[in-house]
Amino acid sequence: MKIMILLAVAALTACGNGITPADELKARLAGTAAEGKILFGHQDALLYGHSWRAENGDALDRSDIRDVCGRHPAVLGLDLGGIEIQDAENLDGNPFDMMKEAAVRHHERGGIVTFSWHPRNPLTGGDSWDVSSAEVVASVLEGGEKHEMFMGWLSACADFLGSLKDAEGNLIPVIFRPWHEHTGSWFWWGRDLCTTEQYVGLWEMTYRYMALERGLDNLVWAYSPGAGPDAAGYMERYPGDDVVDLLGLDCYQYGEAPQSNGTYSAQLKETLAFMTELGKEHGKPIALTETGFEGIPYEKWWTEVLYPAVKDYPLSYLLVWRNAWNRESHFYGPWKGSLSEADFLDFVALPEILLLSE
Ligand code: BMA
């Protein structure tokens, strides 16, 4: 008996030692979904909102969501675009040092941080949306003319992600969501711009470098196709269970309201239904990694459109896109005085929807 207890303690200790920050976050995401809860997220929430912007030195305790309901979103989305060329600010004007501070504070307040990445086009010098050449992915893979330069880009990105540490000096776990919406063809890594083999090669090279060579054990790797494809299309360029931790989806509502409500919700339900099955099959949590309706022109969008479309699926989180501080109608979350504010309060009062406690 004594030996068995000793063995059990040894096994637990060994296991305890092997648990990475990423493992903890993965378990939290899976646990949230298993409890039937959905963490609510907002892109750039602590950096700015509709018509305001945080300044250097601020406590980063304001968000449009908190202005509206008194609590911050549970998930903070941030974008790394610009880190590859070591810019001081990302593509939307957020200083990287402020983003780092926001990420750490959000983590310390009990929240989850997710990073997307809209890097520049390594071949043409344009941005992520420059699809003028179908040679870009090929050029960064091993043997390609931009390979070495691109490895420098990955290195700069890894430096930043590896600098996200709490007060004790421990790496904070974050969701890393590179090469997203690749089922469409609006980014240089999109479907018509490379072959399946090249896309998977790009993913594997990124994973190998960051997770294995650089040893970043704080990254939860999210795969997030855009909406549109069926299950086969969704999985067409899936890089594999060993290099993906979370199955995501980017799905937006476009058009007039209320006419487009049904199209959006049907597409969402159809996709989340097969993602639920894929999640079970592959043992991965699922998430709605980007969503929203620009300008939220429908007063009851939260409770009448979004919630009914997601409530039957085990989403670990959903994230709405940013509320630009300098563009009147480029917002996807509510702000004080916006049309859907009251409905958002009803939405977050639902027991399934999780925010931070303050
Ligand atoms: C898009 C828009 C752009 C922004 C980009 C990356 O959807 O919000 O203004 O630059 O995301 O954040």
Side-chain angles (χ1 to χ4, degrees):
M1 187 62 186
K2 211 171 185 180
I3 290 178
M4 274 177 67
I5 291 170
L6 279 176
L7 281 176
V9 169
L12 275 176
T13 316
C15 183
N17 287 341
I19 292 179
T20 65
D23 289 336
E24 282 171 24
L25 178 49
K26 279 188 259 178
R28 180 170 174 196
L29 292 168
T32 303
E35 280 173 26
K37 308 280 187 195
I38 304 176
L39 297 149
F40 177 79
H42 193 196
Q43 185 71 7
D44 284 346
L46 302 176
L47 278 300
Y48 59 80
H50 186 73
S51 73
W52 64 270
R53 218 179 166 187
E55 280 171 21
N56 245 326
D58 281 2
L60 298 173
D61 55 7
R62 181 171 182 191
S63 65
D64 275 350
I65 301 302
R66 192 175 188 211
D67 281 358
V68 166
C69 70
R71 298 186 292 152
H72 284 305
V75 179
L76 167 66
L78 295 168
D79 195 275
L80 293 159
I83 197 73
E84 66 283 356
I85 49 171
Q86 298 179 44
D87 262 355
E89 293 179 354
N90 85 343
L91 77 168
D92 297 317
N94 299 327
F96 278 105
D97 52 2
M98 208 191 275
M99 286 169 55
K100 181 163 145 181
E101 212 175 306
V104 173
R105 284 208 188 166
H106 191 68
H107 169 76
E108 286 177 340
R109 289 173 186 151
I112 292 175
V113 182
T114 172
F115 282 96
S116 49
W117 189 17
H118 290 88
R120 302 189 65 74
N121 182 317
L123 187 62
T124 65
D127 59 22
S128 283
W129 293 266
D130 178 353
V131 290
S132 59
S133 164
E135 302 301 319
V136 189
V137 175
S139 81
V140 302
L141 296 176
E142 216 163 312
E145 60 174 298
K146 295 292 175 189
H147 178 66
E148 224 168 286
M149 179 184 105
F150 190 74
M151 293 314 286
W153 285 18
L154 291 184
S155 166
C157 185
D159 286 346
F160 182 80
L161 293 172
S163 75
L164 303 171
K165 294 184 178 162
D166 65 16
E168 279 82 53
N170 299 314
L171 277 177
I172 67 164
V174 298
I175 297 166
F176 181 48
R177 199 168 65 82
W179 320 130
H180 64 303
E181 298 176 15
H182 64 291
T183 45
S185 299
W186 45 87
F187 295 133
W188 57 255
W189 56 88
R191 191 164 189 270
D192 294 344
L193 291 307
C194 58
T195 64
T196 295
E197 204 181 18
Q198 288 167 338
Y199 178 81
V200 171
L202 172 65
W203 187 287
E204 284 177 346
M205 185 172 81
T206 309
Y207 182 90
R208 209 165 39 238
Y209 177 74
M210 301 229 183
L212 306 182
E213 263 180 60
R214 295 291 298 267
L216 293 177
D217 62 2
N218 60 327
L219 308 181
V220 170
W221 291 73
Y223 172 74
S224 58
D230 59 9
Y234 178 98
M235 291 304 273
E236 186 186 46
R237 297 182 170 195
Y238 183 62
D241 282 346
D242 49 340
V243 292
V244 169
D245 300 309
L246 175 76
L247 302 181
L249 173 71
D250 289 7
C251 179
Y252 286 90
Q253 180 167 347
Y254 297 101
E256 302 289 314
Q259 297 90 316
S260 60
N261 290 354
T263 320
Y264 167 74
S265 93
Q267 183 169 57
L268 208 44
K269 285 183 181 184
E270 210 172 289
T271 314
L272 295 177
F274 70 68
M275 283 172 63
T276 300
E277 294 313 309
L278 289 170
K280 280 189 218 153
E281 220 172 281
H282 293 263
K284 313 284 179 195
I286 66 169
L288 183 51
T289 40
E290 282 184 36
T291 195
F293 189 4
E294 188 179 25
I296 324 173
Y298 188 68
E299 200 173 340
K300 300 240 175 204
W301 188 76
W302 303 97
T303 61
E304 285 186 8
V305 184
L306 179 64
Y307 176 67
V310 299
K311 73 177 178 42
D312 296 327
Y313 308 98
L315 285 181
S316 50
Y317 78 90
L318 67 82
L319 177 138
V320 294
W321 204 239
R322 66 199 197 96
N323 285 6
W325 58 275
N326 54 353
R327 281 161 68 185
E328 191 49 37
S329 57
H330 192 58
F331 63 87
Y332 297 83
W335 39 275
K336 202 86 191 137
S338 63
L339 178 71
S340 71
E341 187 183 344
D343 189 55
F344 185 76
L345 290 176
D346 290 341
F347 173 69
V348 296
L350 292 164
E352 295 96 318
I353 307 300
L354 300 181
L355 299 171
L356 290 195
S357 51
E358 55 181 313

